[in-house]
Every structure is written in C-alpha cells, then in structure tokens.
Amino acid sequence: MGDLKLFRLNGDSVDELEGQSVAVEKSLQHILERHLETFLGVRFLASEHSTGKRHAGRIDTLGIDENNSPVIIEYKRSVNENVINQGLFYLDWLLDHKAEFELMVMRKYGATVSDAIDWSSPRLLCIAGGFTKYDEHAVQQINRNIELYQYKHYTDGLLLLDLVNATTAQTVHIEDDTPATTATNRNTRVKTVSDYLEQANTELTDRYETLKAYMIALGDDVQTKILKHYIAFKRIKNFACVEIHPQTAKILLYLKVKPDSITLEPGFTRDVTNIGHYGTGDLEVTISNGEDIERAKRLINMAYDVS
C-alpha cells in the first residue's frame, strides 16, 4: 500500500497537509453517492438497499458502472468491521436477485440500459480509512472483482481516493440458456471480442499484445477487463476500450480524450461523440499497423492521465 502525501506550495516554503482517515462517516457516503460518476465512474441506483427479511441486511450503495456491470459499494465504519466479507455476502445476494436489480435499473435509466447489464462481472468496491496487509492478501485469494479504496479527508475541501488493491475475476460470457444444437444457432450467435481475438491472424494479435503491454505498463493501477464487445483498460474509470476486427485487420481504440482537444486525422482519429459505439470514450483511433501504435501512444497517455 502506498503512503500518499499531499503538500501545499507557498512560494519558497512547503506545507504538508494532514489527512484524516478515520472510519467512514455517513456524510461521506452521501457525498460519494451524489457524485458517484465523477468519483468512480458508477451511476447511482440506491442507498441502504434492503436485502429483505431473510438476509436481513442493507447494501450501503448500489450502482451500475460505465461497462454496465452491477456495482456494490460498502464502507468500513469501524476498525473491527469485516467489510470485505460483508460485501461478498451482498454480492452473492445480488446474483440471486438479478430480476430485482434489472427492474431498479429499468425504472431509473430505462430498458436499453437494463437490457445491457453485464452479469459476467459484478464488482465489489470497499471504501475505508485504511486496510491491513491481511485485507489485501485476502482479496487476492478470491475469484471476484474486488477493489479496495482508501480515503483521506483534508482541510480546504480536499478528498483523496486511492485504489490500493484490485482483483479481477475470470469472466465467462453466456449468451443465453438456449443450447446451440443447430448449425443456424451456431452461425447466428453474437460473437464476442474474445471470439474475434481468437480469429485474428498473428500480425493483428501481435499488434493487440503490443498495445496491451504499453497500456498495462503505464502504471500499476491499470486493470484489464474483457467484456462482451470490447476489452476495457481502466484505472478507477476506463481510459481506453479496444475492439478487434479480424475481417479488416484493424483495431479500434476508444479513448477518454475530448476530440476537440486534438487535431483529427482522417483515417486515424474520429469524433464519435454522437455516433453509437460499444466502448466508452468519444475519440476513436484506428490501428492498422505498427506505425499507428506509435502515433496512438500520445493519445493513450492523455486518456490515462485524466482517468
């Protein structure tokens, strides 16, 4: 776990700001919930959601992220509280109550978002003033998407959220419950990005691996998430989404870069702000060769820095 320090520069002098990392108070939960997309890239659904008489619990915060994955957020309010185990309990509850969650999403964000929910990768986010080395070790042993965030509250209205640990579960995408017993069903099944990656030739695969290696090397906070239609590279929020297109031998990057902040190059970069696409990010970058990868690195860096 890193020991982050925050300083104020006053001319020739430097003052260290003292941050408080006490147990999470209710007021902090309310602040995070009011600005959940800004802080964590998660759309807010519910606060203190009851799990019913049988489970007799309350999920601190429920949401859905930019990749349409369900999100549970739990806050550690006392030193002895085992927030990770509690969150895992609620995660199991959520997977047994998919219809209830889908109805909540439909009522708040509409049928399009509800239909797009990705149940292959629900996330558990735990927020606390601090975690022990045992907490960090424990999440590494669990095949679930778990992220540990440490927070510090400073004077002058400053709030620090530090992603101190993240694990990514292996995901398996299931199309539906209907067996593909006929040639027609097999041929009409919607292909995933994993399917396209398997179909890619050696040259296209090597290009993707080069891009992947570059983005992972940007920082130890980079996470890779294989979704149905694209592969997301994220810190706290997505900074790049990758689509593989074997038929055209191209890779499409969708970056969190404002298209009007750069000079667009026809055939290489495109503003897709008002054009439907799977990945998050309004700047589309087309990778056709190794030279394009080198040209794209500056844009990838820009997206990483603001995510």
Side-chain angles (χ1 to χ4, degrees), residues 7-215:
F7 299 89
R8 179 186 288 113
L9 304 180
N10 297 313
D12 294 331
S13 64
V14 176
D15 299 323
E16 180 178 352
L17 300 182
E18 296 294 334
Q20 297 179 343
S21 50
V22 296
V24 178
E25 297 176 354
K26 195 71 175 177
S27 58
L28 177 62
Q29 179 180 343
H30 288 160
I31 291 172
L32 290 174
E33 288 177 344
R34 285 200 301 270
H35 307 282
L36 211 53
E37 285 198 65
T38 302
F39 283 118
L40 298 167
V42 175
R43 288 164 285 184
F44 174 77
L45 277 176
S47 181
E48 303 297 332
H49 182 73
S50 173
T51 58
K53 292 183 179 180
R54 180 184 171 192
H55 290 83
R58 286 188 176 275
I59 297 173
D60 287 341
T61 306
L62 262 180
I64 181 168
D65 71 12
E66 56 192 332
N67 298 315
N68 294 315
S69 297
V71 178
I72 288 176
I73 304 175
E74 288 294 310
Y75 310 89
K76 187 173 183 178
R77 304 184 191 284
S78 63
V79 175
N80 297 324
E81 187 176 11
N82 194 328
V83 68
I84 297 172
N85 283 352
Q86 184 172 301
L88 288 171
F89 176 81
Y90 291 142
L91 203 54
D92 285 339
W93 175 90
L94 182 63
L95 292 173
D96 285 335
H97 293 76
K98 293 180 181 180
E100 182 176 333
F101 183 84
E102 290 168 356
L103 183 60
M104 291 174 61
V105 174
M106 185 174 67
R107 285 175 173 171
K108 194 167 184 70
Y109 296 109
T112 301
V113 178
S114 178
D115 292 341
I117 294 173
D118 185 351
W119 283 107
S120 69
S121 53
R123 297 166 59 198
L124 169 61
L125 279 53
C126 300
I127 299 177
F131 295 95
T132 68
K133 62 180 180 181
Y134 305 109
D135 291 328
E136 296 185 51
H137 176 75
V139 299
Q140 297 293 337
Q141 312 308 310
I142 303 168
N143 187 34
R144 294 294 184 89
N145 298 297
I146 306 174
E147 297 157 41
L148 305 183
Y149 291 88
Q150 175 180 298
Y151 90 95
K152 284 189 178 181
H153 195 205
Y154 296 86
T155 56
D156 300 330
L158 297 176
L159 178 67
L160 172 70
L161 273 182
D162 181 21
L163 176 61
V164 297
N165 204 300
T167 59
T168 302
Q170 182 178 2
T171 57
V172 177
H173 296 286
I174 301 172
E175 296 299 322
D176 53 43
D177 296 327
T178 305
T181 56
T182 68
T184 300
N185 285 340
R186 286 194 296 270
N187 292 334
T188 58
R189 182 179 73 86
V190 176
K191 290 184 178 180
T192 67
V193 68
S194 298
D195 294 328
Y196 288 129
L197 197 53
E198 288 180 3
Q199 294 172 7
N201 59 30
T202 302
E203 187 177 2
L204 187 59
T205 302
D206 287 346
R207 255 182 247 138
Y208 166 70
E209 291 297 335
T210 301
L211 274 171
K212 177 182 175 182
Y214 181 78
M215 290 191 279

Side-chain angles (χ1 to χ4, degrees), residues 1 13 36 50 144 214 217 247 250 257 280 301:
M1 182 188 302
S13 64
L36 211 53
S50 173
R144 294 294 184 89
Y214 181 78
Q247 291 183 332
K250 293 180 180 179
V257 173
T280 59
N301 293 345

